[in-house]
Amino acid sequence: PNALKAIGIKEILKYLDGKLTKQKAYEQIVTNTMRLAKRQVTFNKTQLNVNFCGNKEDIFKKIMDKF
């Protein structure tokens, strides 16, 4: 189902199965999250004509500070 397609689920399941280390799972989750964010920004730029306040590094830092 769709819930299994959520970012992080596949990596956590691999971690629980012993196929990934905790660090590698974390890295893959971060990478996949950044890829999704990039796709969303691209979509918003081309389809919605939306402008974001701040640069990518500041936005990423604010998101990561929540974790």
Side-chain angles (χ1 to χ4, degrees):
N2 291 334
L4 295 177
K5 293 181 182 179
I7 290 178
I9 298 298
K10 178 174 59 173
E11 295 81 2
I12 293 300
L13 292 175
K14 285 182 182 180
Y15 167 69
L16 293 174
D17 286 341
K19 296 177 183 176
L20 285 178
T21 64
K22 184 177 181 181
Q23 181 63 32
K24 191 67 175 172
Y26 172 80
E27 290 169 3
Q28 287 183 7
I29 291 168
V30 169
T31 299
N32 291 335
T33 300
M34 293 303 291
R35 286 180 182 156
L36 174 61
K38 182 173 174 44
R39 287 194 307 270
Q40 290 174 331
V41 168
T42 300
F43 175 83
N44 289 337
K45 282 182 182 178
T46 60
Q47 301 295 317
L48 303 177
N49 197 22
V50 172
N51 293 317
F52 292 96
C53 298
N55 61 41
K56 289 187 290 188
E57 290 78 19
D58 290 342
I59 293 169
F60 179 72
K61 183 175 178 345
K62 288 178 184 177
I63 291 169
M64 294 310 292
D65 286 345
K66 298 290 182 184
F67 295 101

